[in-house]
Amino acid sequence: PQNPSKKFFLYNNKMEGSNKRMENNPIKILIDELKSKEISRKKASIRQITTLAIVLGPESTRNELLKNVTELIEEKEVLMELLKKEIFIDLLHFIGGVKYAKCIFEILQGLSTREDEEVREKALELFRAVVEEAKPKAVQEDVFEIAMSLLRGEWFTSKMSGLEIAIFMISKDIKEVNKQKMIRQITEIATDKVYPVRKAVAVSLPKIIELIP
């Protein structure tokens, strides 16, 4: 396979209007590309994200790259380019491994509350995939906190995504106390004032009962 640094150097040289300062600052290049009005340029920069992660190293990837990517992407077409299993599984390893998985979960947590249903569902699908890759037992505390935060959220999209994550985790080999807390929180949103939330809990009820020992 092509050397990542060489690959990124070639990528830099394709950037319009790049200069020496930008060539030495891949984050600056990424930000400029994501601010572009051209969707094709934004999507092209997303395709390079794992290469950037390799070049930057774990710390800068966690503290700079991931933050800028999520803050600057709004268009659904660009988000769907980002929301791919291979990208997030690679990023899990490039940020320093399971120890820092929360960085990935927080990105997907935010995307799982978007209004667009397709984006939400894809974010949840990837959330589950990353948990499986990291092993549920190893990341249970981080995921538990996120599930509870979503279930207690103000918006119906937050509660519905929290419900899916909670049910997923309840089915895994994690602490019983965390399972019970999530189940109690689910029972609270069963009487939520928003109908889609109540409906989601009602539809999920057979699965939840099946999981209760």
Side-chain angles (χ1 to χ4, degrees), residues 190-205:
T191 56
D192 194 84
K193 62 182 178 180
V194 178
Y195 173 71
V197 176
R198 298 198 305 272
K199 181 181 177 181
V201 176
V203 169
S204 303
L205 197 56

Side-chain angles (χ1 to χ4, degrees), residues 44-75:
S45 67
I46 291 300
R47 295 187 195 107
Q48 297 291 333
I49 192 169
T50 51
T51 302
L52 265 69
I54 296 170
V55 172
L56 289 168
E59 187 174 354
S60 291
T61 296
R62 294 193 304 269
N63 300 333
E64 300 178 65
L65 178 60
L66 296 185
K67 178 183 177 182
N68 282 298
V69 165
T70 51
E71 287 184 355
L72 292 171
I73 300 177
E74 288 297 331
E75 300 88 348

Side-chain angles (χ1 to χ4, degrees), residues 43 46 57 89 108 196:
K43 290 173 72 174
I46 291 300
I89 296 301
L108 295 172

Side-chain angles (χ1 to χ4, degrees), residues 43-210:
K43 290 173 72 174
S45 67
I46 291 300
R47 295 187 195 107
Q48 297 291 333
I49 192 169
T50 51
T51 302
L52 265 69
I54 296 170
V55 172
L56 289 168
E59 187 174 354
S60 291
T61 296
R62 294 193 304 269
N63 300 333
E64 300 178 65
L65 178 60
L66 296 185
K67 178 183 177 182
N68 282 298
V69 165
T70 51
E71 287 184 355
L72 292 171
I73 300 177
E74 288 297 331
E75 300 88 348
K76 177 180 177 179
E77 191 176 346
V78 183
L79 279 172
M80 297 309 288
E81 188 70 38
L82 173 67
L83 290 171
K84 293 182 177 177
K85 182 177 178 180
E86 59 269 25
I87 289 178
F88 277 85
I89 296 301
D90 283 347
L91 285 174
L92 175 64
H93 299 289
F94 296 155
I95 62 172
V98 173
K99 180 180 177 181
Y100 299 101
K102 191 173 183 179
C103 298
I104 302 290
F105 295 141
E106 287 175 344
I107 292 174
L108 295 172
Q109 175 185 1
L111 293 173
S112 74
T113 63
R114 294 286 180 104
E115 287 187 24
D116 188 284
E117 186 175 359
E118 188 178 1
V119 171
R120 288 202 313 271
E121 288 303 315
K122 192 63 181 177
L124 288 168
E125 176 189 326
L126 291 177
F127 197 107
R128 291 188 288 266
V130 174
V131 170
E132 293 286 16
E133 178 73 13
K135 305 307 178 190
K137 210 166 198 174
V139 295
Q140 62 175 304
E141 294 301 332
D142 289 338
V143 179
F144 167 71
E145 286 179 16
I146 288 172
M148 293 295 284
S149 174
L150 287 168
L151 286 167
R152 292 167 176 160
E154 182 179 353
W155 300 101
F156 79 95
T157 53
S158 173
K159 292 172 184 175
M160 292 172 72
S161 292
L163 174 65
E164 287 204 35
I165 293 172
I167 292 173
F168 170 71
M169 289 304 289
I170 290 168
S171 71
K172 303 300 177 182
D173 180 21
I174 63 170
K175 293 178 182 177
E176 190 60 33
V177 63
N178 287 347
K179 290 185 180 184
Q180 292 304 318
K181 286 179 180 178
M182 287 188 284
I183 290 170
R184 282 198 295 272
Q185 194 60 41
I186 290 171
T187 61
E188 285 192 28
I189 66 169
T191 56
D192 194 84
K193 62 182 178 180
V194 178
Y195 173 71
V197 176
R198 298 198 305 272
K199 181 181 177 181
V201 176
V203 169
S204 303
L205 197 56
K207 188 184 297 184
I208 296 168
I209 293 171
E210 187 180 314

